[in-house]
Structures are given as structure tokens and as C-alpha cells.
Amino acid sequence: MNARLGAVAALALAGIGFNALGLVRHGPVLDTGSEIQLLQPQVGEYRQTEKSWHNAMRGGTIEEGAVYSNGAGVPVQLDFFRHNHGPHNGLGCYLGSGETLLWERIQHLPTLNGNAEFDLGLAQTKGTLRLVAASECRAHGCSEVPLPMWRQFADFKKLIPQLFDHPTGDVVPVSIVLTVPADQRDPALEADLMRQLQTFIAALDLAPARKLAAIQGTDSDTRDADAAPGSDAAKVSALK
């Protein structure tokens, strides 16, 4: 049993962040909303482990995450993205690295402070199953759209803002990931992963993410106004 839990933990930690995708970059880090704590020491019965990260990425985005454990089940990886100036579905990152999507669905799930909409997906690689729940938090709530474009057209009102709006800072993407060793699909294993995922999400406080999104959006609006044609910021920019 200890060996199996060790293997599970190793697989979970192997999926930490996006270092494997080569997306981490050292660069200037914005401090808007830095006082807001996204990662809680404890989420329900899950406690934060020593494995955490704070990665500076392209464009000033910060990936902030940690691994949580209840001492018995599968470790849970929790990721937030600060200053991510546009939509970002965390499930797509794993598929972009070559994993196979076995199924995907949009589902409303209860959190600590209200329901949130998640894009749930089960991905597979050789010897591994990965259950991912991705959402994007804004000031009014957290929601997500499915990855395949042809399915997004069924909700055109939701699709248009994500495809054509200019990038803003009013979104804080979040992803929750459970990874287990498995040579083949097992309905009982999938059901257990889903149960653990729902238990974790039910205790997850997304209010700080919504608050951060609101602050980032206000900060972005201020920068846009300052840089509007005729503004002092725009004149300075034109001289550079």
C-alpha cells in the first residue's frame, strides 16, 4: 500500500505546473492583488504539503500552486494563474503535451461559497490516468467552456467574448488535478477519483480568486484609460 501511495504521489508531482511544457519564463512580476491568498493551508480534510510553486511565466503571468493530501487518498494538485490576461483552460495544457482525452463534460459543482462551473476531463498517457477540473474565475463567478470549438458554437453568446474581446486582467484560471497510475480504464477507479475531486472542490474557497479577478480587471481598465489616445501615458509610449 505504501509503495502504491508513493507511486501516486510521484505521478502527481510529475505533473506539477507547466515546467515540462517549457512555458516558465523569468520576467517582471506584477504585484496587483499580491496580498490576496489564493492557496489555503487546508481545503476541507486536505492539508497543503511542502510541494508548492510560484512560477513566473510569459507576459507577467504567475502560476501559483500546491499539492494537497488527506493522508489516504490521491494527492490533489491545485493551480491558480495570476495576471493571466485572457481565457485559459487548464485541461488543454495536458492535451497539448500529448495526453489523450477520454471524455470531457461541463458540470456545475458546489464549492465552499456557491456553485462553480468546471470543464471536467479524463486524460490518459501510458500507465497514467489524470482527472482535471478547469475553471476561470471572474468577479461575478467561476465558469468554463469546453475545449472543442465545434461544441462552443452551441453557446455562441459565451463563445464570442472569449474569442474576440481584447485581453484583460479580469480572469483567474484555476485547475484541480488528480493523477493515478493505471494501465487501463477502470470504472471503479474513475468513480473514486470523481468522488475525491468533488469532495475537494466542495471545500475549496474560490472567493479570493474572484476578488483578485475584480482587482486585476480594475487595474487593467486603469492602464487602458491611461494609455488611451491623447493621454499622457499614450504620449510617453509613442516616444519610446
Side-chain angles (χ1 to χ4, degrees):
M1 176 60 73
N2 290 337
R4 178 177 176 81
L5 287 177
V8 169
L11 285 168
L13 298 181
I16 285 177
F18 298 101
N19 289 331
L21 303 184
L23 297 181
V24 175
R25 296 289 185 275
H26 296 291
V29 175
L30 304 176
D31 59 1
T32 300
S34 60
E35 73 281 1
I36 296 177
Q37 184 178 1
L38 297 176
L39 296 170
Q40 303 300 313
Q42 187 166 348
V43 178
E45 61 187 34
Y46 289 82
R47 293 183 179 274
Q48 185 176 331
T49 70
E50 295 179 354
K51 301 298 181 181
S52 62
W53 51 96
H54 191 88
N55 297 327
M57 304 172 71
R58 293 191 181 102
T61 296
I62 300 172
E63 180 196 11
E64 185 175 298
V67 171
Y68 290 77
S69 174
N70 65 357
V74 178
V76 179
Q77 175 184 314
L78 176 63
D79 256 311
F80 289 97
F81 292 83
R82 295 176 181 264
H83 311 298
N84 198 81
H85 304 290
H88 176 90
N89 187 321
L91 176 59
C93 291
Y94 291 102
L95 304 184
S97 67
E99 299 191 15
T100 301
L101 182 64
L102 299 179
W103 57 257
E104 178 195 18
R105 64 174 178 264
I106 294 292
Q107 187 169 339
H108 286 83
L109 294 174
T111 69
L112 183 64
N113 41 30
N115 288 341
E117 184 181 65
F118 291 89
D119 186 17
L120 303 181
L122 185 68
Q124 183 180 41
T125 58
K126 185 177 181 180
T128 300
L129 285 176
R130 196 188 312 275
L131 180 61
V132 182
S135 191
E136 295 172 322
C137 292
R138 293 174 171 82
H140 61 274
C142 303
S143 62
E144 190 55 278
V145 295
L147 289 172
M149 292 296 294
W150 58 86
R151 290 166 63 180
Q152 291 184 1
F153 282 101
D155 193 350
F156 203 64
K157 290 182 180 179
K158 199 171 188 179
L159 172 66
I160 289 177
Q162 297 219 25
L163 290 184
F164 301 108
D165 275 4
H166 66 281
T168 66
D170 64 347
V171 58
V172 177
V174 55
S175 64
I176 303 101
V177 184
L178 287 80
T179 306
V180 295
D183 295 325
Q184 59 185 2
R185 295 186 63 178
D186 179 352
L189 176 59
E190 292 182 31
D192 187 55
L193 287 177
M194 182 61 68
R195 179 190 60 77
Q196 292 185 59
L197 175 69
Q198 292 175 338
T199 298
F200 185 85
I201 290 178
L204 181 60
D205 185 2
L206 291 177
R210 296 198 299 269
K211 182 178 180 181
L212 177 60
I215 293 176
Q216 291 179 169
T218 300
D219 183 65
S220 177
D221 291 342
T222 301
R223 289 197 305 271
D224 290 345
D226 289 343
S231 69
D232 292 339
K235 295 174 183 176
V236 171
S237 178
L239 295 175
K240 292 182 179 179

